[in-house]
């Protein structure tokens, strides 16, 4: 009986820890200057840690259907295209610490909306939430 009562606390505790870590990361990200090395390091470090955790967790076997293959092909092409655009735009910037209007990255395009503290914090929360949702599926 005690085991049954203790089980629901574990997912709740895990969720609370994830939310707290997300809030700390979002606050840290919102405190960094846009396009600075500290912001870049925070993004890269967070991405690497979450991807490692996602790959270690594994996934369940999904039945392979023609619809799934088409969906994976379409989303993979979109992801490759968007990633190639980001890398090309980032590398073509005259200075890697300043945004370029000639070769805008997604961050450059969203910067005017996310330049203020509270919106920047919300932007980081959304980025972290969407990223976690994507890797936990």
């Amino acid at each position: 009986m005690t085991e049954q009562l203790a089980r629901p606390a574990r997912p709740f505790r895990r969720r609370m820890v994830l939310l707290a870590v997300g809030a700390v990361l979002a606050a840290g990200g919102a405190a960094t200057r846009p396009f600075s090395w500290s912001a870049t390091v925070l993004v890269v470090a967070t991405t690497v840690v979450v991807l490692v955790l996602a790959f270690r967790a594994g996934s369940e076997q999904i039945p392979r259907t023609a619809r799934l293959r088409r969906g994976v092909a379409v989303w993979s092409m979109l992801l490759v295209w968007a990633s190639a655009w980001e890398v090309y735009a980032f590398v073509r910037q005259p200075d890697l610490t300043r945004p370029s209007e000639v070769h805008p990255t997604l961050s450059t395009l969203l910067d005017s909306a996310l330049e203020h503290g509270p919106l920047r914090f919300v932007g980081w929360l959304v980025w972290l939430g969407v990223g976690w949702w994507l890797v936990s599926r």
Side-chain angles (χ1 to χ4, degrees):
M1 183 83 151
T2 348
E3 285 183 37
Q4 288 178 340
L5 294 176
R7 279 191 172 175
R10 192 167 272 215
F12 177 76
R13 217 177 296 154
R14 181 180 172 179
R15 226 177 250 150
M16 289 298 111
V17 168
L18 285 173
L19 287 173
V21 168
V24 168
L25 284 170
T32 60
R33 196 171 46 90
F35 306 105
S36 65
W37 286 108
S38 57
T40 303
V41 167
L42 185 61
V43 167
V44 170
T46 302
T47 302
V48 168
V49 168
V50 169
L51 285 175
V52 165
L53 290 174
F55 279 114
R56 286 183 66 205
S59 63
E60 61 186 54
Q61 190 70 332
I62 299 172
R64 297 169 191 247
T65 62
R67 182 178 180 204
L68 177 66
R69 282 193 298 276
R70 284 191 306 270
V72 167
V74 168
W75 281 105
S76 297
M77 286 188 311
L78 287 171
L79 182 63
V80 167
W81 179 83
S83 298
W85 173 43
E86 281 287 306
V87 169
Y88 174 78
F90 183 72
V91 171
R92 297 287 297 173
Q93 292 181 16
D95 181 7
L96 297 181
T97 60
R98 287 193 209 139
S100 170
E101 292 181 14
V102 178
H103 301 287
T105 61
L106 186 59
S107 301
T108 305
L109 296 173
L110 293 174
D111 190 45
S112 61
L114 300 175
E115 66 186 352
H116 304 292
L119 289 176
R120 194 162 163 73
F121 178 74
V122 170
W124 273 86
L125 283 177
V126 168
W127 178 75
L128 289 166
V130 168
W132 184 256
W133 180 78
L134 284 172
V135 298
S136 65
R137 297 286 168 244

